[in-house]
């Protein structure tokens, strides 16, 4: 099944809302394939935000991402990348729609609570960046048949 990478940013951990964020993904019936807490090094951050390192705000972004540990989550589901991006909302939390994670939990464009992969291609790269072999788990779910219809099961799961 399709996988995507989420980072729960240090600001969310400091604010005590990581549980609320994980709960949203659980309630959506996305499966947690991997979950770990880690500090981001200069190297991993420069790689992860390679498209932004030359931008004037990068030093602020870097400091905010290294202000504490992050939680890396690998989520799995049918069309998980697009679905999770919609759940997260647009980059600037003030513009993110109510009901999205950023729209409900943040007022900031920078301290916007979570990262989510923006394409299937990038998700694969990002999952490999944050998870080593043996840190992702396949396990039987007792409720998959209540989460997806028959056609969807054939298309996305089997
Ligand atoms: P995304 O997180 O919605 O995919 P990106 O453009 O990939 O947005 O930017 C990565 C992160 O960099 C954002 O989540 C945000 O924390 C920060 N960021 C992006 N644009 C700005 C900006 O204009 N000012 C300050 N921080 C920014
Ligand atoms: Mg991005």
């Amino acid at each position: 099944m399709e996988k995507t990478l989420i980072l729960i940013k240090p600001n969310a951990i400091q604010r005590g809302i990581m549980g609320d964020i994980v709960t949203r993904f659980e309630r959506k019936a996305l499966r947690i394939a991997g979950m770990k807490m880690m500090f981001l090094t200069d190297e991993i951050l420069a790689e992860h935000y390679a498209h932004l390192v030359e931008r004037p705000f990068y030093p602020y972004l870097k400091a905010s991402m290294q202000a504490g540990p992050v939680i890396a989550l690998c989520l799995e589901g049918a069309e998980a990348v697009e679905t999770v991006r919609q759940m997260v909302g647009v980059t600037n939390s003030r513009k993110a729609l109510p009901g999205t994670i950023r729209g409900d939990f943040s007022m900031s464009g920078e301290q916007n609570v979570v990262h989510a992969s923006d394409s299937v291609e990038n998700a694969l790269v990002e999952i490999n960046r944050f998870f080593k072999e043996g840190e992702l788990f396949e396990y039987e779910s007792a409720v998959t048949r209540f989460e997806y219809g028959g056609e969807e099961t054939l298309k996305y799961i089997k």
Side-chain angles (χ1 to χ4, degrees):
M1 230 185 325
E2 191 170 294
K3 292 187 178 71
T4 190
L5 188 276
I6 303 297
L7 298 176
I8 301 179
K9 296 185 176 184
N11 58 81
I13 295 174
Q14 288 293 324
R15 292 174 54 206
I17 56 175
M18 67 170 141
D20 295 281
I21 293 165
V22 172
T23 296
R24 292 215 174 191
F25 295 127
E26 283 188 297
R27 289 198 177 144
K28 184 68 176 167
L30 288 151
R31 183 201 294 228
I32 298 175
M35 189 174 196
K36 69 196 265 202
M37 185 176 257
M38 60 198 289
F39 277 108
L40 300 185
T41 62
D42 293 357
E43 291 72 31
I44 201 168
L45 204 52
E47 211 180 280
H48 184 65
Y49 284 140
H51 59 300
L52 299 173
V53 284
E54 302 298 332
R55 300 289 290 273
F57 61 80
Y58 185 73
Y60 298 113
L61 175 61
K62 181 172 185 284
S64 76
M65 293 299 289
Q66 294 181 323
V70 302
I71 305 276
L73 275 176
C74 177
L75 299 176
E76 198 173 26
E79 300 175 340
V81 172
E82 188 189 341
T83 303
V84 167
R85 282 287 283 196
Q86 280 180 359
M87 289 177 75
V88 165
V90 298
T91 306
N92 183 344
S93 304
R94 291 189 298 280
K95 306 275 188 265
L97 291 176
T100 64
I101 292 170
R102 287 169 171 167
D104 286 354
F105 289 113
S106 170
M107 279 294 284
S108 173
E110 179 192 272
Q111 303 274 39
N112 56 5
V113 184
V114 288
H115 163 82
S117 305
D118 63 6
S119 68
V120 175
E121 195 186 4
N122 285 342
L124 289 174
V125 173
E126 292 180 353
I127 289 162
N128 287 328
R129 178 174 299 139
F130 289 96
F131 288 95
K132 297 193 199 84
E133 214 176 307
E135 292 180 337
L136 294 179
F137 300 89
E138 294 217 12
Y139 51 94
E140 197 177 335
S141 164
V143 293
T144 305
R145 70 195 176 92
F146 298 102
E147 294 169 342
Y148 291 101
E151 273 189 331
E152 291 164 333
T153 300
L154 289 172
K155 184 170 176 191
Y156 297 110
I157 296 166
K158 295 289 170 205

